[in-house]
């Protein structure tokens, strides 16, 4: 029904995964492909918190904010829908094939209006955004540059008469142009998930406690480092050295082994977190 409100609704849809998610309330979270660390952090935080309220997180499985949103939702076993600008046999970006598989393996849903062998093209990115917006009760804009795909999704959301939510950004951040401009134009400025939840009293959404995943088995010699690291927050190598009172070369060596063993993730600037 929501797709019928579009001027140019898709003629058909191809779906893979849990189609029951189409009957759940969804919130779109969109943003820049080349986002900042701040944007990444906010996208993950809001995706997890809104998931805990039972909302289905809808995004476009692009690089940057979209990918972070889907991944963060899966980390806490939340519900997510990805809308593709291509067919199922031509996943774009190619690096997100693993994410595509993870969404399907974790009871998520992937949608496309294109036949399985169709490739992504520029016009398909814009077309994809209208489906993301129409499957959602509102859109959360994390970051977006001037005249970006993110601003297009916001415009479609406005035409559908749904709420637009924006995370405020620094005036020095070029990726903050779209959310700040939308706030000027009347979008809701949000600083926490509850600022969104409060707009939908009719859904009677209640927050559930996060389901903690069991830690992976780690060899005793690496356990002291592994126990310091977290899933949702990175820690700098200097902080690890300080806490364990060991040489940086020893810490470096152990971190490398843990990374090779697929237990942890190395982030820019010598930061680490559990995988």
């Amino acid at each position: 029904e929501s797709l019928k409100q579009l001027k140019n609704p898709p003629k058909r849809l191809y779906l893979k995964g849990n189609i029951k998610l189409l009957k759940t309330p969804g919130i779109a979270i969109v943003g820049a492909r080349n986002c900042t660390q701040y944007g990444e952090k906010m996208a993950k935080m809001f995706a997890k918190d809104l998931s805990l309220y039972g909302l289905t997180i809808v995004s476009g499985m692009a690089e940057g904010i979209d990918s972070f949103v889907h991944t963060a939702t899966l980390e806490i076993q939340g519900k997510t829908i990805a809308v593709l600008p291509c067919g199922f046999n031509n996943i774009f970006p190619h690096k997100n094939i693993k994410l595509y598989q993870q969404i399907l393996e974790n009871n998520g849903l992937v949608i496309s209006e294109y036949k399985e062998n169709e490739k992504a093209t520029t016009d398909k990115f814009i077309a994809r955004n209208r489906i993301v917006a129409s499957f959602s009760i509102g859109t959360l804009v994390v970051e977006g540059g001037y005249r970006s795909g993110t601003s297009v999704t916001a415009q479609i959301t406005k035409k559908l008469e749904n709420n637009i939510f924006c995370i405020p950004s620094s005036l020095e951040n070029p990726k903050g142009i779209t959310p700040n401009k939308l706030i000027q134009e009347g979008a809701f400025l949000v600083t926490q998930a509850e600022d969104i939840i409060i707009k939908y009293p009719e859904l009677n959404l209640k927050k559930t406690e996060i389901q903690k995943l069991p830690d992976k088995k780690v060899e005793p010699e690496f356990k002291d480092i592994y126990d310091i690291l977290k899933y949702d927050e990175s820690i700098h190598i200097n902080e690890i050295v300080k806490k364990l009172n060991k040489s940086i070369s020893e810490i470096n060596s152990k971190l490398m082994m843990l990374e090779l063993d697929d237990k942890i993730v190395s982030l820019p600037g010598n930061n680490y977190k559990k995988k």
Side-chain angles (χ1 to χ4, degrees):
E1 289 302 315
S2 59
L3 287 168
K4 288 179 183 177
Q5 295 176 43
L6 295 169
K7 273 188 177 179
N8 56 337
K11 292 177 181 177
R12 64 186 68 80
L13 287 177
Y14 301 93
L15 302 98
K16 270 192 180 184
N18 181 11
I19 60 171
K20 290 179 182 177
L21 294 185
L22 292 175
K23 294 187 177 181
T24 62
I27 185 87
I29 306 183
V30 296
R33 287 177 174 82
N34 187 20
C35 64
T36 65
Q37 281 191 325
Y38 167 76
E40 176 184 347
K41 185 177 180 181
M42 291 300 103
K44 289 177 176 177
M45 182 183 85
F46 273 85
K48 288 180 179 180
D49 287 349
L50 291 168
S51 290
L52 292 173
Y53 273 102
L55 289 174
T56 297
I57 307 302
V58 186
S59 201
M61 215 179 82
E63 285 188 71
I65 296 297
D66 289 18
S67 295
F68 294 133
V69 160
H70 292 303
T71 303
T73 304
L74 294 178
E75 280 179 9
I76 61 161
Q77 299 167 28
K79 303 186 291 285
T80 193
I81 295 175
V83 185
L84 303 181
C86 52
F88 294 131
N89 289 347
N90 266 306
I91 300 300
F92 183 90
H94 189 73
K95 65 190 284 187
N96 274 357
I97 286 177
K98 188 175 179 183
L99 175 57
Y100 162 74
Q101 292 167 341
Q102 287 173 337
I103 291 171
L104 294 178
E105 288 165 5
N106 289 276
N107 217 24
L109 176 65
V110 184
I111 295 172
S112 174
E113 63 179 306
Y114 306 106
K115 291 181 180 178
E116 55 187 10
N117 292 320
E118 282 198 55
K119 293 182 178 180
T121 54
T122 306
D123 58 318
K124 291 189 178 84
F125 296 130
I126 301 299
R128 178 260 313 275
N129 294 346
R130 80 195 196 290
I131 298 177
V132 170
S134 65
F135 274 153
S136 310
I137 56 175
T139 296
L140 171 62
V141 175
V142 182
E143 283 186 326
Y146 179 64
R147 293 182 71 181
S148 59
T150 302
S151 60
V152 172
T153 309
Q155 286 170 16
I156 296 166
T157 302
K158 193 173 182 179
K159 286 177 183 176
L160 292 170
E161 298 184 354
N162 288 335
N163 292 328
I164 303 171
F165 305 99
C166 295
I167 298 170
S169 195
S170 164
L171 299 180
E172 296 177 340
N173 176 16
K175 300 298 178 186
I177 292 173
T178 289
N180 289 344
K181 187 172 182 292
L182 288 168
I183 290 167
Q184 274 189 322
E185 294 171 354
F188 294 108
L189 185 156
V190 296
T191 59
Q192 57 184 357
E194 286 71 21
D195 296 334
I196 295 172
I197 300 303
I198 200 170
K199 298 296 180 184
Y200 303 100
E202 70 279 6
L203 296 179
N204 197 26
L205 300 168
K206 304 291 182 188
K207 194 171 187 179
T208 58
E209 289 301 313
I210 192 165
Q211 294 179 1
K212 214 176 177 190
L213 299 175
D215 280 344
K216 298 177 180 179
K217 288 184 180 178
V218 175
E219 293 173 32
E221 61 181 302
F222 304 124
K223 201 167 187 322
D224 53 352
I225 292 180
Y226 186 77
D227 287 346
I228 286 174
L229 299 178
K230 300 176 181 178
Y231 285 106
D232 56 353
E233 191 179 327
S234 62
I235 297 178
H236 194 271
I237 189 170
N238 288 345
E239 194 177 336
I240 301 170
V241 169
K242 191 177 176 182
K243 285 186 176 182
L244 296 179
N245 196 25
K246 292 182 178 178
S247 71
I248 196 161
S249 59
E250 183 184 348
I251 297 294
N252 242 328
S253 174
K254 289 185 176 180
L255 285 169
M256 191 182 297
M257 293 305 293
L258 283 166
E259 193 177 354
L260 287 171
D261 206 19
D262 210 29
K263 301 283 196 305
I264 68 169
V265 180
S266 171
L267 300 168
N270 281 322
N271 290 291
Y272 298 85
K273 67 176 185 179
K274 288 179 181 176
K275 186 166 184 180

